[in-house]
Amino acid sequence: MSHYRRALAGSTYFFTVVTHRRRPILCDEPMRIALRLAIGKVRDRLPFDIDAMVLMPDHLHCIWTLPDGDTNYSLRWSQIKHHVSYTCRRLYPATVSASCQRHRTAAIWQRRFWEHQIRDERDWERHVDYIHYNPVKHGFVQAAFAWPYSTFNRFVRNGMYAVHWGGNPACDGMEFE
């Protein structure tokens, strides 16, 4: 188990955000670009740090640290989802339910998200490990470093993980870029 050194300043949260009806669209290039741009726009107005993140085909997990005294993650997620939905509305058409029509939402995201406030350093470490192991858990790759849509390799570069952490022992001979 790695031991991370970081200050828990501000409020830190773990999130799970899921696509509407679990459509496997989040790893598509247009969606990744739209999500990256949306996060950038929202961070410009409402700052937050992304401590760790993984993008899966139908959901994402991330940990954010908000500035001291700021707990308005809902507004941030609302704006991110809105930007992505607006940008990608024609690329991912879907039958819109009566509920989506009533709430004026696109059929890209589930309306809600799951959040958990990080309690301490140990809780943060467990959630970071969960995030980075998620592609292996779901069977997309045999080792965490092989999944291109996560912050795992940033953690390796910063010395927080060994390259083969969270991998299948059969992958021990594989090289890391």
Side-chain angles (χ1 to χ4, degrees):
M1 176 65 59
S2 300
H3 292 283
Y4 308 98
R5 300 223 185 262
R6 67 180 292 282
L8 284 171
S11 298
T12 302
Y13 299 91
F14 168 85
F15 298 99
T16 300
V17 182
V18 181
T19 60
H20 181 70
R21 296 184 179 166
R22 291 240 178 219
R23 289 175 68 189
I25 59 176
L26 291 182
C27 293
D28 295 353
E29 186 175 9
M31 185 61 73
R32 290 191 331 267
I33 291 168
L35 185 59
R36 185 179 313 117
L37 292 173
I39 288 171
K41 284 181 182 181
V42 172
R43 285 173 79 181
D44 286 345
R45 288 189 316 276
L46 300 165
F48 62 94
D49 291 325
I50 299 174
D51 299 343
M53 184 169 182
V54 66
L55 194 60
M56 304 295 288
D58 64 354
H59 68 283
L60 66 86
H61 298 292
C62 59
I63 297 175
W64 289 357
T65 298
L66 280 60
D68 285 333
D70 187 347
T71 59
N72 200 351
Y73 51 79
S74 290
L75 177 61
R76 288 167 172 86
W77 276 120
S78 173
Q79 290 184 4
I80 289 168
K81 287 177 166 184
H82 172 78
H83 285 300
V84 171
S85 296
Y86 183 79
T87 302
C88 296
R89 68 193 180 282
R90 289 187 181 93
L91 297 172
Y92 300 100
T95 305
V96 178
S97 68
S99 175
C100 284
Q101 289 174 355
R102 246 189 339 276
H103 288 64
R104 297 177 55 199
T105 58
I108 290 179
W109 303 103
Q110 281 188 6
R111 194 171 305 128
R112 302 192 187 275
F113 55 86
W114 190 83
E115 91 282 335
H116 162 78
Q117 185 169 15
I118 301 296
R119 296 181 302 270
D120 55 26
E121 186 76 21
R122 178 73 183 122
D123 194 30
W124 187 84
E125 289 176 9
R126 285 180 41 248
H127 282 84
V128 168
D129 289 348
Y130 179 84
I131 285 169
H132 291 139
Y133 192 72
N134 212 248
V136 178
K137 173 186 159 192
H138 286 282
F140 289 107
V141 292
Q142 290 197 6
F145 75 84
W147 188 249
Y149 313 118
S150 101
T151 54
F152 178 79
N153 288 320
R154 180 181 81 189
F155 276 66
V156 170
R157 283 190 302 276
N158 291 335
M160 297 169 145
Y161 280 123
V163 70
H164 295 296
W165 175 92
N168 182 330
C171 298
D172 282 344
M174 297 176 80
E175 291 297 318
F176 173 67
E177 300 180 13

